[in-house]
Amino acid sequence: FQIFDCTAMLLRRAAATGSSKLLGRTALQSIVRSRYFSDDVFSAPREGMDYDVLLVGAGPASLSAAIRIKQLGLEKGTDLSVCVVEKGAEVGSHIVSGNVFEPRALNELIPDWKEKGAPLDTPVSDDRFLIISKDGSWKLPNFLLPPQQVQYIRVLGKLTRWLGAQAEELGVEIYPGFSASEVLYREDGGVRGIATRDVGINKDGTPKETFARGMELRARVTLFGEGCRGSCSEEVMGKFNLRQHVQPQTLVQHTLGWPLQSSLLDKTFGGSFLYHMDDDLVQIGLVGGYHAIPKLTFPGGALIGCSAGFLNSIKIKGSHTAMKSGMLAAEAAYAALTSTGLEAVAVAFILNGLEPWTLGNDKPDSAKTKPAKDFMPIDYPKPDGVLTFDLLSNLQRSGTNHADQPSHLRIKAGKEGVPSTESFPVFAGPEQRFCPAKVYEYTDGSEAGTAILIHGMQQTVVDTSRCVGANGVPQLVINAQNCVHCKCCSIKMPQEYINWTVPEGGGGPA
């Protein structure tokens, strides 16, 4: 019989531990029976593994936490089993950001990182903050800016892969290519781990010959480090009301001026930043803020890194704070699991975000979009094919791939009418412009062909020549296969009508 994806973890763990009991003929036969003989393969029992600590997402925060837990085990003599699950095909494959890195947390975590070959090779020699116009720029004096430590320019994905290697050397089990699609709960309501997504499903929702149930990964403590808008993190925040009394997350630009402002009187506020990387690469990014950080802990685990939104917004840096959050969570988890047996994590803020100088923000970003009638259309310059390229060319370079599978982008129940009654007629369909991968399109029937309309779990193949609603408004088409996992749609859509769920593991940008 065939051994397929859902047994890969069991095989790797058996090899790592030298245990022949973890994956014997009986276990394999039970998997095969659930695959071939169950009346309903989608409700068949799942195989599972148990750990002391489970980390969801293999980013800097999770890997720093995993490393710190193993370091504490070596220091104090009580080793804990640690597992990291990652939806990307390999560690670092979905971390496409470049940034200016402050190594304070890394100095604490791995003091000899230079000797161990950490990919930090480009120190910052000059740091400038510019106010830009279409015809020139003005440099702000450095004394007006926060003091900076020693910094390095680097591709975050490379550092993440290096951290993954350090974690594995310490005995951390890392499983890339597995999407955490479901949060598991204990009988008392606390988190007990996650389940990975079922694989081998056709676009119409029927199982393929390669169908396999996901795995249950259970743990005494689960730390969510999925990054911004992680689907499991969002579920946990909602279930435990972790955003109560917290300001909504919103997006700001790093610098000031053109092209968002033609003059200082313009209502639009923002700008851009440039990180000059090696290999003729320039990186651009957006950030959140301190006062949007939710309550971090809940029964059975905590949020770390960008799942919580850690960022020093004054310095425009977040990688070292993400790493430090993981290290602190690791120390709290280790202490709780080894001294008292309590399955909880405790992290505290000094002032709990209630400083007297706090600037209020009472609306989510999705509620701040203004009607299209209040603005003039923007005439964007055409790509020149030298420094700038068309969207589809850039999409091809991203290596994005989602094999034949159901859409992971779904319209939330009860909000099926938002695209045709609000997003398009009021805001001119902003999703078709801000999406960097042309995932969202409104078709008016002028192009022949077929498209897939998605509402919740329902997908319908339609003739695009008839894609006009009863009110004359073009219908929304979702090209989920193009998605590069930026998750902007889950933030900026009117009423946040899109539910961003995880695709099969290994999909997305390469």
Side-chain angles (χ1 to χ4, degrees):
F1 42 76
Q2 178 186 14
I3 299 175
F4 36 88
D5 287 347
C6 72
T7 65
M9 292 183 184
L10 291 169
L11 286 168
R12 286 185 59 185
R13 193 176 191 195
T17 61
S19 172
S20 60
K21 296 181 180 179
L22 286 172
L23 188 63
R25 174 173 290 272
T26 302
L28 272 177
Q29 286 176 336
S30 69
I31 298 173
V32 173
R33 279 197 298 272
S34 70
R35 162 66 179 85
Y36 289 105
F37 300 108
S38 173
D39 293 334
D40 184 356
V41 294
F42 294 109
S43 61
R46 292 181 290 213
E47 292 295 316
M49 295 187 292
D50 296 281
Y51 295 90
D52 292 311
V53 181
L54 171 66
L55 297 114
V56 182
S62 291
L63 293 172
S64 297
I67 290 170
R68 187 64 188 133
I69 290 171
K70 286 297 185 180
Q71 288 175 339
L72 289 169
L74 293 174
E75 294 170 11
K76 301 180 181 297
T78 301
D79 188 38
L80 298 180
S81 58
V82 181
C83 174
V84 180
V85 63
E86 162 61 33
K87 67 181 174 66
E90 62 180 20
V91 173
S93 64
H94 284 183
I95 299 183
V96 297
S97 171
N99 73 351
V100 177
F101 181 70
E102 189 175 295
R104 281 192 296 171
L106 184 60
N107 290 338
E108 292 181 34
L109 184 66
I110 306 176
D112 57 344
W113 56 265
K114 289 184 179 180
E115 291 75 13
K116 291 186 174 180
L120 299 177
D121 304 319
T122 309
V124 174
S125 59
D126 191 12
D127 194 351
R128 302 178 183 180
F129 193 102
L130 304 177
I131 298 177
I132 303 172
S133 72
K134 187 174 182 179
D135 302 314
S137 63
W138 297 266
K139 181 179 181 295
L140 285 180
N142 284 347
F143 71 83
L144 295 177
L145 304 176
Q148 304 285 0
Q149 308 293 325
V150 176
Q151 305 170 94
Y152 295 84
I153 303 173
R154 56 88 170 95
V155 176
L156 188 55
K158 291 182 179 180
L159 180 64
T160 304
R161 282 189 285 274
W162 180 83
L163 287 171
Q166 306 307 305
E168 287 191 313
E169 286 184 8
L170 291 171
V172 176
E173 297 178 33
I174 302 178
Y175 297 108
F178 291 89
S179 298
S181 64
E182 179 184 345
V183 181
L184 304 177
Y185 298 96
R186 303 189 301 246
E187 290 184 0
D188 63 2
V191 171
R192 67 188 290 256
I194 61 94
T196 64
R197 177 170 169 159
D198 294 346
V199 296
I201 305 174
N202 291 304
K203 284 187 176 181
D204 62 4
T206 59
K208 302 177 184 177
E209 283 299 312
T210 56
F211 173 81
R213 287 285 274 150
M215 294 284 294
E216 287 192 1
L217 300 178
R218 302 175 291 262
R220 299 166 68 192
V221 168
T222 303
L223 303 179
F224 291 93
E226 299 175 282
C228 178
R229 304 289 288 200
S231 54
C232 291
S233 303
E234 291 292 309
E235 177 183 333
V236 167
M237 281 189 272
K239 179 177 176 62
F240 296 105
N241 202 20
L242 302 183
R243 287 203 171 277
Q244 186 178 18
H245 308 308
V246 174
Q247 297 181 19
Q249 286 183 318
T250 187
L251 299 180
V252 298
Q253 280 73 36
H254 286 188
T255 58
L256 303 176
W258 186 86
L260 293 181
Q261 287 178 294
S262 298
S263 74
L264 295 178
L265 300 179
D266 285 354
K267 294 181 180 179
T268 303
F269 181 79
S272 65
F273 70 80
L274 300 178
Y275 293 153
H276 295 265
M277 315 294 293
D278 53 2
D279 300 327
D280 297 324
L281 183 66
V282 176
Q283 299 277 357
I284 302 173
L286 298 172
V287 297
Y290 172 78
H291 301 294
I293 295 175
K295 183 177 183 292
L296 300 178
T297 60
F298 49 85
L303 303 172
I304 59 176
C306 287
S307 278
F310 283 105
L311 174 83
N312 185 330
S313 57
I314 302 300
K315 287 189 173 183
I316 319 175
K317 292 177 178 62
S319 296
H320 68 292
T321 54
M323 293 177 65
K324 185 63 176 180
S325 73
M327 294 158 62
L328 291 173
E331 291 169 1
Y334 186 90
L337 294 177
T338 57
S339 60
T340 66
L342 296 177
E343 300 181 5
V345 178
V347 181
F349 287 113
I350 297 175
L351 297 177
N352 200 32
L354 299 177
E355 300 86 343
W357 57 86
T358 294
L359 300 177
N361 175 42
D362 59 355
K363 292 182 179 180
D365 206 61
S366 59
K368 293 186 176 182
T369 305
K370 296 182 179 179
K373 64 180 179 61
D374 296 342
F375 299 89
M376 293 292 293
I378 300 174
D379 184 18
Y380 292 103
K382 302 297 182 184
D384 59 18
V386 179
L387 292 177
T388 58
F389 302 89
D390 64 274
L391 184 149
L392 293 179
S393 295
N394 287 329
L395 178 62
Q396 185 179 26
R397 290 189 178 96
S398 74
T400 295
N401 176 57
H402 296 92
D404 182 24
Q405 59 180 282
S407 173
H408 63 286
L409 304 170
R410 301 163 187 168
I411 297 179
K412 295 177 180 177
K415 297 187 177 181
E416 293 85 354
V418 174
S420 59
T421 62
E422 183 175 349
S423 185
F424 190 87
V426 178
F427 302 108
E431 56 269 60
Q432 64 184 335
R433 290 190 297 279
F434 66 62
C435 177
K438 208 170 184 178
V439 170
Y440 300 96
E441 295 182 273
Y442 283 89
T443 178
D444 59 6
S446 61
E447 297 182 7
T450 59
I452 296 178
L453 301 183
I454 299 168
H455 298 282
M457 292 294 292
Q458 301 298 317
Q459 303 185 91
T460 307
V461 179
V462 298
D463 180 354
T464 55
S465 65
R466 299 181 179 180
C467 282
V468 181
N471 57 356
V473 175
Q475 287 200 36
L476 176 68
V477 175
I478 301 178
N479 305 305
Q481 69 275 9
N482 290 2
C483 180
V484 293
H485 298 201
C486 74
K487 301 181 183 176
C488 184
C489 58
S490 71
I491 301 170
K492 194 60 178 172
M493 298 290 216
Q495 298 187 38
E496 296 185 6
Y497 73 79
I498 281 292
N499 182 23
W500 201 103
T501 65
V502 291
E504 289 188 4

